[in-house]
Amino acid sequence: MADIKQDRRDGGTRLPIEAMQKRQIDGSFIATLGDFGKSPHASISIQNLVVDSAPTILKLDDGFEKRHAARCGRCGLMAGYYLDRSQFDSAETGVNEDVLYILPGSLDATDEIRQAT
């Protein structure tokens, strides 16, 4: 599994993705942008993600869910998703960028990528 780099003044540490909370519905990792709940200095780089403007609507046992896919800007593969604002008792629609749900297995550690090349 991948590590998420924490931006810290002491040179940086790594937060294992396994330490993040998981969503019960699909096992995706819950990344609260700017703060993973572990450290106020934690952050995730999302600069290479491209977010679909049109949501995908999923039928669930307890209703429907609108998701905006977050894709790799290089290869287009889906790495995670954001929920639509309408999921949170809001009259507004569009991407709720406060929380990114990272799909299991969608990230590779930098060290693993370097070894593969």
Side-chain angles (χ1 to χ4, degrees):
M1 275 284 163
D3 292 339
I4 304 297
K5 185 168 184 185
Q6 294 183 25
D7 296 322
R8 297 183 57 177
R9 293 176 188 202
D10 61 3
T13 60
R14 293 193 177 267
L15 173 67
I17 195 168
E18 297 89 2
M20 298 168 71
Q21 291 184 4
K22 288 178 120 181
R23 193 165 187 223
Q24 289 183 340
I25 196 166
D26 62 1
S28 60
F29 297 98
I30 302 169
T32 304
L33 301 183
D35 181 6
F36 293 145
K38 302 286 182 190
S39 165
H41 304 290
S43 65
I44 183 171
S45 174
I46 58 170
Q47 62 191 5
N48 291 329
L49 287 181
V50 176
V51 181
D52 290 355
S53 58
T56 299
I57 301 173
L58 300 174
K59 183 172 179 353
L60 306 174
D61 291 338
D62 61 346
F64 293 91
E65 185 171 86
K66 285 184 178 182
R67 296 180 181 179
H68 294 266
R71 302 179 185 280
C72 172
R74 296 177 113 184
C75 67
L77 290 176
M78 187 172 166
Y81 59 90
Y82 294 97
L83 293 178
D84 194 86
R85 281 187 238 148
S86 64
Q87 299 293 129
F88 299 96
D89 297 325
S90 171
E92 297 181 40
T93 60
V95 180
N96 177 21
E97 295 181 337
D98 295 338
V99 179
L100 172 63
Y101 299 92
I102 302 170
L103 296 173
S106 65
L107 300 179
D108 287 324
T110 302
D111 296 339
E112 292 174 16
I113 295 171
R114 285 185 185 141
Q115 289 176 357
T117 57

